[in-house]
Amino acid sequence: MANRSDIVGSLVKGLTAIEAFSPEHPRMSITDMARATGFDRATARRLLLTLHDAGYADYDGKFFTLTARVLRLGMGALSAMPLPQIMQPWLDQLSDQVGQSASVSILDGTEIVYLARAAQRRVMSINLMPGSRLPAHCTSMGRVLLAALPPDRVRALLDQADLTPRTRFSLTAPDEIVERIEAARHDGYAVIDQEVEIGLRSIAVPLFSAQGVAVAAINVGASAAQVETDALVPRFLGPLRKVQEGMRRVRLPVPV
């Protein structure tokens, strides 16, 4: 582990500034940045101007917005990860078999990050692609990944999470969410009924390394107009578990 003297604090601050931008805050003034990060205004100003000078942000004289150059950071990381390349053929086969879209994601704090996807038809209003993020607590893949964590860690993450409902079906009470996560831990799968978006139902299972560590999750998503909630398990759990078992024989990387 690195000593504190080995840590470049300015780099950490710069990354914090980049992460402060979000769909809810795509434009940031110096005051906005200071408020979002806790940095003083002088530090926020220097960070934003540095991002602008390096081509990572545009500046109109008041507001800063990230440029497409920032995508190099995320896409570089995704392209260096072996899991998307390993999983894509499995996803394509699964999607063709069940006639629905299938995805793989990993857990990153309170969110899941999509690594690979095979889409049969579009059932969500947002266009999910590698690098897309969704809240872990209200997604099927997020719940099976949270179920792999110690209960106290799950509680800590829920305390940090934004539990604002995305639909009228979204669970917002931590105890109720924990109950569903515990059910996923017991059952080995999680089902979501329109908690992320109206019209979307999904079922997910975890993917394990050879050492038995949950490294990712895979799901099948279906239109609520086409597939009833009670049909998710009998129709899709078997095919998902076949992929799960097949991946146990693959040397999946264990997350640090």
Side-chain angles (χ1 to χ4, degrees):
M1 187 173 181
N3 296 321
R4 294 306 303 172
S5 60
D6 296 322
I7 305 302
V8 181
S10 57
L11 175 58
V12 174
K13 290 180 178 179
L15 294 173
T16 300
I18 291 174
E19 290 182 349
F21 290 91
S22 68
E24 294 76 26
H25 302 96
R27 302 193 310 158
M28 303 279 278
S29 67
I30 293 171
T31 300
D32 295 332
M33 178 59 67
R35 183 184 303 113
T37 61
F39 300 145
D40 57 55
R41 279 181 53 86
T43 299
R45 177 178 178 275
R46 289 196 302 272
L47 290 170
L48 288 168
L49 290 175
T50 299
L51 290 175
H52 174 57
D53 184 70
Y56 288 102
D58 284 331
Y59 181 41
D60 65 5
K62 181 177 181 181
F63 291 102
F64 294 82
T65 55
L66 294 180
T67 67
R69 186 183 182 91
V70 173
L71 295 176
R72 296 184 184 182
L73 304 176
M75 295 310 296
L78 283 174
S79 64
M81 297 176 69
L83 191 56
Q85 289 78 18
I86 293 172
M87 285 305 308
Q88 193 62 56
W90 292 83
L91 279 179
D92 292 338
Q93 185 180 74
L94 174 64
S95 180
D96 287 343
Q97 178 185 354
V98 301
Q100 304 290 340
S101 298
S103 305
V104 167
S105 71
I106 58 173
L107 186 67
D108 183 19
T110 62
E111 299 177 312
I112 58 169
V113 181
Y114 280 72
L115 295 185
R117 182 166 168 81
Q120 287 283 328
R121 57 182 64 84
R122 186 167 176 175
V123 295
M124 295 186 72
S125 62
I126 58 174
N127 185 23
L128 293 175
M129 61 186 67
S132 296
R133 291 173 173 266
L134 287 175
H137 70 275
C138 62
T139 54
S140 58
M141 290 189 286
R143 285 189 182 162
V144 294
L145 290 171
L146 289 170
L149 301 178
D152 59 342
R153 178 60 177 154
V154 173
R155 282 286 185 179
L157 287 173
L158 290 180
D159 287 342
Q160 301 170 23
D162 180 357
L163 303 183
T164 302
R166 295 176 65 96
T167 76
R168 66 179 184 273
F169 298 106
S170 301
L171 299 183
T172 58
D175 286 346
E176 286 186 281
I177 297 170
V178 166
E179 185 178 331
R180 298 297 179 89
I181 292 170
E182 289 176 347
R185 184 181 295 117
H186 176 269
D187 297 335
Y189 66 88
V191 168
I192 294 294
D193 184 8
Q194 304 183 83
E195 288 192 52
V196 177
E197 182 165 319
I198 295 296
L200 174 68
R201 293 176 174 138
S202 67
I203 178 172
V205 299
L207 296 175
F208 299 100
S209 69
Q211 295 77 28
V213 177
V215 297
I218 183 171
N219 86 340
V220 169
S223 167
Q226 296 179 333
V227 181
E228 295 295 329
T229 307
D230 292 345
L232 289 172
V233 171
R235 285 185 59 175
F236 304 128
L237 183 57
L240 281 168
R241 283 188 165 158
K242 285 184 179 179
V243 176
Q244 182 187 56
E245 185 58 32
M247 294 309 298
R248 286 182 185 272
R249 297 188 291 272
V250 178
R251 297 183 65 86
L252 293 178
V254 178
V256 178

